[in-house]
Amino acid sequence: MFELRTLGLFAATGQSLEKEERPMSFGKTTPILRIFDEAKAKEFYIDFLGFSVDWEHRFGEGLPLYMQVSKDGCVIHLSEHHGDGTPGAAMRIETDELEELHGQLLASEYRYARPGIEIMPWGSRDMSITDPFGNRLTFTNAIST
């Protein structure tokens, strides 16, 4: 009986029972990078790169940390959980202020990295930095369209 009423409702409103076709849409990507030491992660991502901690989560005291850091439109999740990624991941972060970022990083005198800007064979300018856990972040002026 419910189906008949539903059919009548669709017929009365002129709606179709067929699924409306529309293009599939995807949202932003949020990478999850594996970390092993909260203090080293914060020294690198917050103090050196200038990200902010948006939130932190632990299932209980003494358990692994999962946190979100961000800077402008770039959002990264950092996780101490065993199954959340493998050290040695690589990601590209687009910026139209590569030279300014480069200058800020060099001025910070972080003792474990002095990144340089490279002109790539495909024409972009890239600056790669490896975090204390082996993950490579490449800041690039190659802006997607």
Side-chain angles (χ1 to χ4, degrees):
M1 190 64 154
F2 176 74
E3 291 179 348
L4 291 177
R5 284 189 212 150
T6 304
L7 287 174
L9 176 63
F10 279 104
T13 60
Q15 294 178 336
S16 169
L17 288 176
E18 294 180 24
K19 186 175 179 180
E20 180 182 326
E21 289 192 34
R22 59 190 153 129
M24 187 180 297
S25 174
F26 292 95
K28 293 181 179 181
T29 301
T30 305
I32 303 171
L33 300 178
R34 183 81 155 89
I35 62 170
F36 301 102
D37 182 297
E38 178 181 354
K40 285 184 181 189
K42 287 182 175 178
E43 178 186 23
F44 180 80
Y45 286 94
I46 309 310
D47 300 338
F48 177 52
L49 294 182
F51 281 69
S52 298
V53 175
D54 298 326
W55 49 261
E56 298 179 348
H57 177 268
R58 283 186 165 80
F59 285 104
E61 190 174 327
L63 293 177
L65 172 67
Y66 190 94
M67 70 176 167
Q68 176 176 298
V69 297
S70 66
K71 183 172 183 171
D72 301 320
C74 180
V75 175
I76 302 172
H77 286 189
L78 303 174
S79 178
E80 291 181 321
H81 291 271
H82 172 72
D84 287 349
T86 303
M91 60 184 288
R92 296 175 61 79
I93 302 168
E94 297 175 353
T95 179
D96 58 357
E97 299 175 19
L98 185 63
E99 286 75 15
E100 182 179 338
L101 174 62
H102 179 246
Q104 289 173 1
L105 296 181
L106 291 180
S108 75
E109 297 185 3
Y110 179 66
R111 77 187 269 192
Y112 302 107
R114 298 283 195 281
I117 296 177
E118 295 180 63
I119 299 173
M120 305 310 291
W122 46 87
S124 69
R125 295 170 54 81
D126 291 2
M127 177 177 62
S128 292
I129 307 165
T130 302
D131 77 4
F133 317 102
N135 302 302
R136 187 177 71 241
L137 290 74
T138 298
F139 295 89
T140 181
N141 73 343
I143 306 298
S144 299
T145 55

